[in-house]
Amino acid sequence: MNILGIETSCDETAAAVVADGTKMLSNVVVSQIDIHAEYGGVIPEIAARSHIEAILPVVNKALSDAFGTAGSKKLEAGSSNTPDTRFQIPDSDPWDNIDAIAVTQGPGLIGSLLIGTLTARTLAILKNKPLIPVNHVVAHTYANFITGSRKQEAGSWNGDAYDQNSPAYPRFPLLSLSVSGGHSHLLLFNGHNDYRLLGATLDDAAGEAFDKVAKILGLPYPGGPSVSKAALEGDPNRYDFPKANLGRDSLAFSFSGLKTAVLRLAQHEAGLDISAPSSLISDKLSKQQINDIAASFQRIICETLVDKLELAAKLYQPKSVVVAGGVAANQALRDEVSRRLDYEMHYAPMSLCTDNAAMIASLAYFVQEAGTTANPHTLMADSSLTV
Ligand code: KG4
Ligand code: ZN
């Protein structure tokens, strides 16, 4: 079953075709990072407008990457060998290969979500395809079920059909640490369509903390890649930052105190008082101070994430553990996980950790197996959709 996925929850316009939930036939992502970098973060109004411009070309490219373009038969036009597109007749319509359309329903920025959901609803009506609504946060974990691709080799897929018991795929019970710019969740899956939230952040998401610390240190948006790059040249033990104490048995996270601790330390090191705005700090810090603060912050946030992941693994004894979401692209986090956890681990390729539509199409396959589809005339985007 081929599903076209559409994702527009934040600042990436994405479409992908995935077969049977696991085989990626195409994966197109147009990022708005360059536009938002100028402002140091995502501007929702600009994000929504950019989605409008990109969505149809992105969908078309996902279809043509997967199945080729319609119109390979050409009528002869005069004696010229140059194909004249006016005389092409389609011999196959890529839409004939699509069995359903999946779309991110939420959570995310409402203006951005509306572009994806309205596009998917319209296409579902016009092309007469079932419409499958997908939860973006849950979908991040499903990037780890995409193991094969016709165009790109990703992971260890050897052409076999999906097998729930094969270690090539995450096995249930599956513990997932899903960490991105908008959420930080620990999820326990006992099967497809059978999952629950074990703990979430009470305030900032982990990726959001990276983004805010980057701003304090004068590093470019998005903060995750720039902070981790600076950290490579820094001493992770130069500074000690506090970890939020939410109780020994708690599986919740809190990162707003850590972000404030970084701000206070950076102000102090820059010789400024606590009323100094972030924009004045980085000019007064040396390159080495910036790198050391980045490395020390990264050490604490990775330790905190793994403290909770380790506790959840002890409590629930999963068969496999997944680290998903944009922050899963962080190498220091992966290193800390491998140092401390002895479980069957799954990481998606870096390009599938951050937002993409292949994960949406993958989860949608399992969602529709449980019989869930949406009415294309009424599906509403939900910016605060919960797990
Ligand atoms: O999953 P994602 O693309 O979008 C959301 O659903 O939010 O995640 C984006 C977040 C950003 O906050 C970004 O700073 C963070 O993931 N991120 C990273 C890295 N790459 C992206 N955080 C830490 N280290 C990275 N290498
Ligand atoms: Zn995301």
Side-chain angles (χ1 to χ4, degrees):
M1 176 180 206
N2 295 330
I3 297 183
L4 169 72
I6 295 178
E7 153 64 35
T8 62
S9 66
C10 189
D11 59 345
E12 260 95 27
T13 316
V17 180
V18 175
D20 301 334
T22 56
K23 294 179 275 296
M24 190 167 73
L25 304 186
S26 67
N27 182 34
V28 180
V29 181
V30 170
S31 173
Q32 304 170 9
I33 282 177
D34 292 349
I35 304 171
H36 299 292
E38 205 180 310
Y39 306 95
V42 178
I43 309 291
E45 170 73 15
I46 296 177
R49 284 167 186 260
S50 304
H51 285 308
I52 293 175
E53 285 170 20
I55 189 75
L56 290 179
V58 164
V59 167
N60 280 333
K61 173 124 177 59
L63 292 173
S64 60
D65 282 1
F67 307 115
T69 40
S72 52
K73 262 191 218 151
K74 292 169 202 76
L75 294 180
E76 286 306 316
S79 57
S80 165
N81 285 329
T82 314
D84 184 334
T85 48
R86 287 173 305 163
F87 294 96
Q88 288 182 350
I89 51 166
D91 59 351
S92 72
D93 181 349
W95 282 101
D96 294 345
N97 301 306
I98 295 295
D99 300 297
I101 299 172
V103 67
T104 302
Q105 183 181 13
L109 301 170
I110 190 65
S112 294
L113 289 167
L114 280 169
I115 309 307
T117 49
L118 288 172
T119 304
R121 285 171 56 179
T122 309
L123 290 172
I125 294 166
L126 283 175
K127 304 290 178 187
N128 197 21
K129 309 284 178 190
L131 180 63
I132 307 161
V134 166
N135 183 313
H136 178 93
V137 172
V138 180
H140 267 296
T141 299
Y142 276 74
N144 292 271
F145 283 91
I146 301 164
T147 50
S149 154
R150 211 167 69 178
K151 300 249 172 206
Q152 309 167 25
E153 271 316 308
S156 57
W157 180 65
N158 58 9
D160 296 343
Y162 169 62
D163 170 3
Q164 198 164 301
N165 298 314
S166 159
Y169 299 91
R171 291 188 284 183
F172 300 113
L174 182 180
L175 175 64
S176 176
L177 171 67
S178 187
V179 270
S180 81
H183 70 276
S184 298
H185 281 9
L186 275 165
L187 298 164
L188 183 69
F189 293 74
N190 284 314
H192 299 295
N193 301 302
D194 178 8
Y195 53 82
R196 68 192 172 98
L197 180 65
L198 301 178
T201 183
L202 303 177
D203 39 56
D204 291 351
E208 191 180 352
F210 271 94
D211 295 337
K212 288 178 173 169
V213 164
K215 219 165 183 176
I216 295 168
L217 298 178
L219 299 169
Y221 174 84
S226 59
V227 167
S228 55
K229 189 166 168 230
L232 287 175
E233 310 293 322
D235 173 2
N237 296 309
R238 172 147 175 209
Y239 303 108
D240 220 3
F241 294 115
K243 289 183 187 173
N245 182 356
L246 303 172
R248 276 175 46 146
D249 299 333
S250 167
L251 292 174
F253 300 101
S254 168
F255 296 115
S256 69
L258 172 60
K259 171 199 67 192
T260 307
V262 171
L263 175 63
R264 294 287 172 261
L265 177 103
Q267 287 165 326
H268 178 264
E269 292 289 283
L272 297 166
D273 68 44
I274 61 166
S275 62
S278 307
S279 55
L280 293 185
I281 300 173
S282 63
D283 283 351
K284 296 194 161 36
L285 295 172
S286 69
K287 185 118 191 335
Q288 196 55 54
Q289 279 174 313
I290 289 174
N291 293 343
D292 291 347
I293 296 173
S296 303
F297 158 77
Q298 182 175 258
R299 172 176 64 81
I300 294 294
I301 199 162
C302 292
E303 278 178 18
T304 308
L305 290 169
V306 181
D307 287 347
K308 301 290 178 175
L309 182 62
E310 201 174 31
L311 174 60
K314 272 196 194 115
L315 289 172
Y316 295 99
Q317 294 296 315
K319 236 184 207 162
S320 70
V321 175
V322 157
V323 183
V327 182
N330 187 282
Q331 192 56 48
L333 176 61
R334 293 184 178 205
D335 293 345
E336 182 74 6
V337 170
S338 344
R339 202 171 62 75
R340 288 173 49 188
L341 264 81
D342 188 15
Y343 286 86
E344 178 189 300
M345 291 300 310
H346 294 267
Y347 300 100
M350 295 286 183
S351 61
L352 293 180
C353 286
T354 46
D355 287 349
N356 64 85
M359 67 186 196
I360 304 300
S362 171
L363 172 56
Y365 174 75
F366 299 101
V367 166
Q368 64 77 37
E369 274 199 324
T372 307
T373 54
N375 182 339
H377 294 276
T378 55
L379 178 72
M380 294 298 288
D382 183 350
S383 61
S384 46
L385 189 66
T386 52
V387 168

